[in-house]
Amino acid sequence: MYSAISKSAPLLARGPSFSTTSMASISRITVIGGGQMGSGIAQVAATHKHEVTLVDVSQEALDRGKAYMAKSLKRVAKKKHAEDEAAQSQFVAEIMSRVSLSTKPQEAVSRADLVIEAIVENLKVKQDLFAQLSKAAPQQAILASNTSSLPIGKIAELLDSQRKQRFIGLHFFNPVPQMKLVEVVRTKEADQEVVDSAVAWVKAIGKAPAVCKDTPGFIVNRLLLPYMMEAIRLLERDVASAQDIDTAMKLGAGYPMGPFELCDYVGLDTIKFIVDGWHKDGEGLKGNPLFASSTKLDELVKQGRLGVKSGKGFYDY
Ligand code: CAA
Ligand code: NAD
């Protein structure tokens, strides 16, 4: 039955109660994938005094991730120490000194308390990665995926039951340093103690957790992706230009970004992976016309116009 929730209730006191079970044991974090999301997660964890190892497939990718972090930290530093350039540099250097870079995933997880995966949105690639990591990570480590759309239970499918009990979703939002929310996704197999520890850790890094079940899109993307895809279809039907649709949603609905700015920001390849996956075999979403392929989106991805990260998408950057 629906029960009203007081608007004045503090955010974290609503809904199921969150135990603040020990997260003291989470201090060493390994983030796999140093792209937009992984570098942001590494940055936030290092800012909150964690020792972080960031892993990617090549030194070039790691250098890119490091550059994302440095750029974002400089922004934060400029606000924190407005008139003091030396203090700004010290702030950035101090946080960056807690981040190590690695191209060897097994070595990088061997001492981790928490492993967060933020690699390409592909089920097979994620499953293979975790099968490899589970051979090297400490048995007590919490393993987590930052997937936007894939079932957490399926990503953990190749792991043994002990690992599955310590496997959850930790879904951050882009840009990670700025967006407050982290969805903590609970699978059927996950231990409550692991969920509680993750919730406590999310709070400890200054974010707000929302716990939810392992269903396609969790909370935010289940609502956001239909909106983005409907905007693309408005454009395909030539109802209005991308600029006018963006202006309409910013000024008419109060969104910080229009849907095309947001698509470019998230990455058009990621959006395509999400909708194609759901349309093909998303639990309860298979065949749903909301997620049918879009000629416009397919064309842009084929041309390598992936959005802000590639310099071109719906817009040029
Ligand atoms: N690092 C550090 N700080 C950042 C930052 C970054 N990468 N990006 C923005 N900021 C900070 C700025 O420093 C600024 O801080 P102050 O207000 O303290 O000065 C603040 O964010 C606002 O930034 P700007 O003034 O430069 O620009 P803006 O007002 O246009 O805000 C934005 C930028 C925060 C990105 C805003 O446009 C926004 O909220 N957009 C919507 C983002 C969104 O919906 N993200 C979710 C995407 S979906 C997802 O992530 C899930 C998925 O699985 C696909
Ligand atoms: P991205 O393309 O910016 O970065 C992915 C990184 O992973 C790249 O640097 C790539 O080299 C690396 N990588 C790929 N395979 C790897 C492997 N086997 N081992 C180590 N590194 C590997 O992508 P992103 O936007 O950061 O997205 C990463 C994940 O986060 C995806 O699952 C995505 O769905 C999810 N996500 C994205 C957003 C968003 O707005 N972009 C938001 C929330 C969650």
Side-chain angles (χ1 to χ4, degrees):
M1 199 179 89
Y2 174 79
S3 68
I5 296 168
S6 155
K7 275 204 163 169
S8 59
L11 177 67
L12 298 178
R14 291 183 202 155
S17 64
F18 295 128
S19 147
T20 49
T21 358
S22 153
M23 48 67 63
S25 52
I26 302 181
S27 71
R28 285 187 292 259
I29 319 289
T30 300
V31 180
I32 318 271
Q36 313 186 88
M37 297 305 292
S39 63
I41 297 166
Q43 175 188 327
V44 170
T47 300
H48 288 82
K49 311 277 182 210
H50 293 296
E51 190 189 310
V52 181
T53 306
L54 182 64
V55 180
D56 210 306
V57 288
S58 64
Q59 190 57 45
E60 193 192 350
L62 286 170
D63 290 343
R64 212 168 30 238
K66 198 173 163 193
Y68 281 140
M69 272 188 278
K71 190 173 167 199
S72 169
L73 279 170
K74 275 184 198 148
R75 251 172 117 158
V76 180
K78 271 192 184 150
K79 281 184 277 176
K80 231 180 156 60
H81 304 285
E83 304 297 326
D84 186 345
E85 277 192 27
Q88 288 172 20
S89 305
Q90 200 192 339
F91 173 84
V92 175
E94 200 239 320
I95 293 169
M96 292 297 280
S97 73
R98 285 193 281 276
V99 182
S100 329
L101 305 176
S102 171
T103 52
K104 299 193 175 98
Q106 293 206 18
E107 196 178 296
V109 298
S110 64
R111 293 184 330 122
D113 303 313
L114 170 63
V115 177
I116 304 176
E117 165 275 314
I119 67 168
V120 63
E121 189 71 347
N122 177 299
L123 181 61
K124 170 96 175 54
V125 180
K126 287 187 196 279
Q127 283 177 333
D128 289 349
L129 174 74
F130 277 111
Q132 200 191 341
L133 298 183
S134 76
K135 292 184 194 145
Q139 210 46 249
Q140 277 313 299
I142 296 178
L143 305 182
S145 174
N146 179 54
T147 178
S148 299
S149 65
L150 298 167
I152 303 296
K154 273 209 166 160
I155 297 175
E157 208 166 56
L158 306 180
L159 307 184
D160 64 31
S161 61
Q162 248 184 310
R163 288 287 188 200
K164 284 180 181 162
Q165 286 164 14
R166 305 193 68 75
F167 198 106
I168 52 168
L170 278 181
H171 187 216
F172 288 77
F173 292 81
N174 191 12
V176 180
Q178 185 65 18
M179 304 305 277
K180 275 287 197 188
L181 183 69
V182 179
E183 289 171 328
V184 178
V185 185
R186 180 176 38 204
T187 64
K188 288 195 186 95
E189 292 87 0
D191 273 354
Q192 188 59 41
E193 171 260 324
V194 171
V195 175
D196 291 341
S197 296
V199 162
W201 180 75
V202 166
K203 290 183 196 173
I205 59 162
K207 302 287 184 197
V211 178
C212 63
K213 284 187 188 162
D214 188 14
T215 60
F218 318 128
I219 302 167
V220 175
N221 284 345
R222 184 61 184 85
L223 298 173
L224 210 49
L225 266 296
Y227 159 71
M228 289 157 130
M229 290 308 290
E230 283 295 290
I232 296 172
R233 292 189 214 289
L234 282 183
L235 184 68
E236 284 177 334
R237 292 200 300 273
D238 203 22
V239 171
S241 67
Q243 287 89 341
D244 281 346
I245 296 170
D246 276 350
T247 301
M249 292 312 292
K250 284 189 284 187
L251 302 188
Y255 285 29
M257 282 178 171
F260 296 101
E261 290 168 332
L262 187 57
C263 286
D264 277 355
Y265 201 66
V266 166
L268 304 190
D269 52 341
T270 297
I271 292 173
K272 183 168 159 52
F273 279 131
I274 298 174
V275 292
D276 286 356
W278 286 351
H279 196 252
K280 202 166 135 224
D281 67 2
E283 183 198 324
L285 300 180
K286 190 173 170 177
N288 186 326
L290 271 175
F291 307 113
S293 68
S294 137
T295 316
K296 183 80 196 158
L297 182 64
D298 292 352
E299 266 171 15
L300 290 170
V301 172
K302 209 167 158 195
Q303 291 162 13
R305 296 183 70 111
L306 306 182
V308 178
K309 68 181 168 188
S310 71
K312 284 176 196 292
F314 285 101
Y315 298 107
D316 288 350
Y317 297 89

